[in-house]
Amino acid sequence: MGAKKSILIYCSDTQNSIEVANTLRDKFEKEGYCVETDFAGDEREDSDLLDGTLSDRLKLIVCVGGDGTFLGAVHHFNFPDVPFLGVNTGHLGFFQEFMPDQLDLLIDNYKRKKYTLQDMQTVRAIVEHDGIKEEFTGLNEIVVKCEENYSVHLNISIGDKFIEKFSGDGILIATPAGSTAYNYSLGGSLVDPRLKLLQVTPIAPMNTTAYRSLTSPLLLPPDLGLGIVPDNGGSKGRIAIAYDSFSRTFDKLDSINVKLSDVEVRLLRFETYDFWAKVKSKFI
Ligand code: NAP
Ligand code: MN
């Protein structure tokens, strides 16, 4: 028999989030649950949490904050097997299931197992530079763009077929979960999360007598990857790879291969959850 697993409450560093997190901890403890807290602003060493045995110790990670806090937690815990649950103290809260005035309802539903687990796909970029390969994973998206205020020129292939030389601000590759984020601001489609696909959305594609780029988003099936080879001769600036709220810049970059990843993030959704109702309540 293993030790009793605990619930970890991870929260953003706003006063409101910290108060909500503390209230939630007290309520869970009253119900007999073991609770740990982790405040995103703290410098605390989490190496004990990150040694690959997270799911042996934790049964749930509750994120108190906005979508940004949730994305931060997913990366902080390195895409764990442990399911997440969100409480929205942020602005939009697309991932966040409950509001701070619903904590009793949250605990009641959790105790009575009145929830389903939503498995969310992630997207992975393998970046080749200086003779090495590095991997970056996003729950929302991967973005390839110029760090400075220049256009980028990217040779794009799908599978092994060359499709186009893209010129413009960059390319965004969104998961279904990320379709409602940056992708949506770019005119990309909202994707029902039950679909398994990647959406490739151009960012400010150029169409002049000098450059020709596809202007609409493309949808790719799960087994097809996107290959990007920057035209280093034709590009002036440095290329940045963004993965959710994080990014890295490269002086010279040989190739980027983007595909759906095997890693999934699991989110608790309660009986009232419906993707299209959420779209209506958040966007319209
Ligand atoms: P942020 O700049 O605060 O995020 C911008 C907005 O996107 C926030 O309102 C955030 O919600 C919302 N958001 C994040 N993930 C979402 C999702 N899956 N569905 C719907 N809305 C979502 O930065 P952040 O909070 O750290 O989030 C990072 C994300 O911002 C990136 O992954 C990217 O998708 C997005 N972004 C959007 C734009 C744009 O729309 N022009 C530009 C850059 C980045 P909360 O208010 O609840 O945090
Ligand atoms: Mn945010």
Side-chain angles (χ1 to χ4, degrees):
M1 262 300 276
K4 189 174 169 186
K5 289 190 190 181
S6 33
I7 293 174
L8 181 89
I9 303 178
Y10 180 93
C11 83
S12 69
D13 57 4
T14 67
Q15 190 59 35
N16 184 33
S17 294
I18 293 168
E19 277 167 23
V20 171
N22 285 329
T23 308
L24 184 60
R25 180 188 54 207
D26 293 347
K27 285 178 184 289
F28 265 128
E29 281 176 347
K30 250 194 210 124
E31 295 292 330
Y33 290 97
C34 230
V35 184
E36 300 173 33
T37 46
D38 188 347
F39 299 108
D42 285 1
E43 290 301 315
R44 201 188 94 181
E45 256 309 317
D46 284 303
S47 48
D48 56 328
L49 281 174
L50 297 174
D51 63 1
T53 57
L54 211 59
S55 58
D56 293 343
R57 297 200 25 219
L58 299 179
K59 56 180 167 194
L60 179 67
I61 300 172
V62 182
C63 291
V64 181
D67 289 326
T69 307
F70 175 75
L71 292 167
V74 167
H75 284 267
H76 180 73
F77 295 111
N78 196 20
F79 295 82
D81 289 338
V82 183
F84 288 89
L85 167 61
V87 176
N88 187 27
T89 57
H91 290 115
L92 187 68
F94 217 85
F95 292 115
Q96 312 296 71
E97 191 72 353
F98 282 104
M99 295 305 287
D101 62 0
Q102 296 177 304
L103 299 183
D104 292 321
L105 182 67
L106 180 163
I107 291 176
D108 186 62
N109 281 348
Y110 182 68
K111 252 173 45 188
R112 298 200 283 142
K113 294 194 164 45
K114 283 170 69 178
Y115 57 77
T116 54
L117 285 169
Q118 182 180 17
D119 290 326
M120 297 184 291
Q121 313 292 310
T122 60
V123 54
R124 171 157 306 156
I126 299 172
V127 175
E128 228 179 316
H129 67 96
D130 306 303
I132 59 164
K133 283 184 183 179
E134 278 191 83
E135 288 190 358
F136 301 94
T137 306
L139 174 58
N140 273 348
E141 76 275 294
I142 298 283
V143 183
V144 180
K145 61 183 176 187
C146 182
E147 193 196 22
E148 295 93 352
N149 198 20
Y150 296 120
S151 56
V152 286
H153 306 279
L154 308 169
N155 293 298
I156 306 280
S157 51
I158 294 175
D160 287 328
K161 292 207 178 53
F162 173 75
I163 299 293
E164 66 162 339
K165 179 143 134 196
F166 170 89
S167 296
D169 280 10
I171 293 277
L172 177 145
I173 304 103
T175 62
S179 70
T180 48
Y182 194 0
N183 172 70
Y184 181 59
S185 307
L186 294 168
S189 294
L190 299 176
V191 179
D192 190 305
R194 286 164 285 209
L195 294 170
K196 218 176 173 185
L197 55 81
L198 282 180
Q199 183 167 183
V200 183
T201 304
I203 311 175
M206 291 159 77
N207 278 292
T208 62
T209 49
Y211 302 110
R212 284 269 165 245
S213 312
L214 288 173
T215 54
S216 79
L218 316 174
L219 301 183
L220 299 186
D223 56 336
L224 212 50
L226 186 83
I228 302 174
V229 175
D231 176 1
N232 290 315
S235 304
K236 276 188 280 193
R238 294 191 301 165
I239 289 194
I241 307 284
Y243 45 111
D244 300 339
S245 7
F246 305 89
S247 73
R248 274 274 302 278
T249 304
F250 298 88
D251 286 324
K252 195 177 168 302
L253 204 157
D254 298 317
S255 70
I256 307 144
N257 281 287
V258 185
K259 235 186 130 167
L260 263 186
S261 133
D262 298 333
V263 175
E264 293 183 342
V265 175
R266 293 191 298 159
L267 191 56
L268 259 66
R269 294 296 198 182
F270 292 86
E271 282 174 339
T272 48
Y273 174 77
D274 174 75
F275 173 74
W276 294 105
K278 191 114 187 171
V279 167
K280 182 164 165 25
S281 75
K282 297 290 177 182
F283 291 163
I284 299 170

